Amino acid sequence: MTKYLKRLGIVMLLLPLALAAVWLIYEIFGMCVNHMATWKQTASLQADLEREISDIEVVSVYSETGNTSGTGNHVDCLSSIVFSTEMEKMEIEDRMSKEYAFDGWSSYVDQADDGYYTVYINTSAPFADNIEGH
């Protein structure tokens, strides 16, 4: 009986550590999946732009995984590509609308004063409640 109680005591002492380890592994796994999703989103966006716009010249590619808005506890996948082309903004939006729904908030095309365009896509991450968003 003493052996049984001793083993039970050890299990009860180690259980919180085991649960904390499982939680930590889950959070790290979620972070990795979220970053891969952002990378995939950015690569797809760049490939779609290069396929739809023949004279595109990509200036910069930026991506970010985390709480991009600063509000709430959530994780976003942000992709932003700056490029130049002879096309007009409406034509770019029309061509890209096959793949993206531009809503003016989480996805849009913007033209700067210097003539460069920026395509901005911000979506929810697969593990949106990950520790990275807090």
Side-chain angles (χ1 to χ4, degrees):
M1 183 71 166
T2 308
K3 261 187 181 180
Y4 175 75
L5 289 175
K6 188 175 183 180
R7 286 182 185 167
L8 182 63
I10 291 172
V11 167
M12 291 188 66
L13 286 173
L14 294 179
L15 187 60
L17 293 175
L19 291 174
V22 168
W23 176 80
L24 182 63
I25 290 168
Y26 176 77
E27 290 295 327
I28 291 171
F29 174 77
M31 288 172 67
C32 293
V33 170
N34 288 344
H35 282 271
M36 287 189 299
T38 302
W39 175 83
K40 182 180 177 187
Q41 174 180 286
T42 304
S44 294
L45 177 60
Q46 185 171 0
D48 292 340
L49 282 168
E50 291 171 348
R51 183 184 66 247
E52 294 295 332
I53 303 172
S54 59
D55 68 337
I56 191 169
E57 184 180 324
V58 175
V59 176
S60 70
V61 178
Y62 175 78
S63 62
E64 180 181 343
T65 305
N67 188 340
T68 59
S69 67
T71 60
N73 296 333
H74 65 279
V75 181
D76 299 317
C77 298
L78 169 68
S79 302
S80 177
I81 298 178
V82 178
F83 62 96
S84 64
T85 182
E86 294 298 318
M87 286 186 181
E88 295 294 321
K89 180 181 173 184
M90 290 301 293
E91 188 176 0
I92 295 167
E93 288 176 343
D94 286 343
R95 288 190 179 202
M96 296 300 292
S97 66
K98 299 172 196 168
E99 300 291 329
Y100 304 95
F102 296 110
D103 61 9
W105 176 254
S106 63
S107 58
Y108 58 87
V109 177
D110 189 32
Q111 185 175 15
D113 292 337
D114 58 7
Y116 289 110
Y117 292 96
T118 302
V119 174
Y120 174 93
I121 305 292
N122 190 356
T123 60
S124 182
F127 286 81
D129 194 29
N130 188 269
I131 190 73
E132 199 169 21
H134 296 270

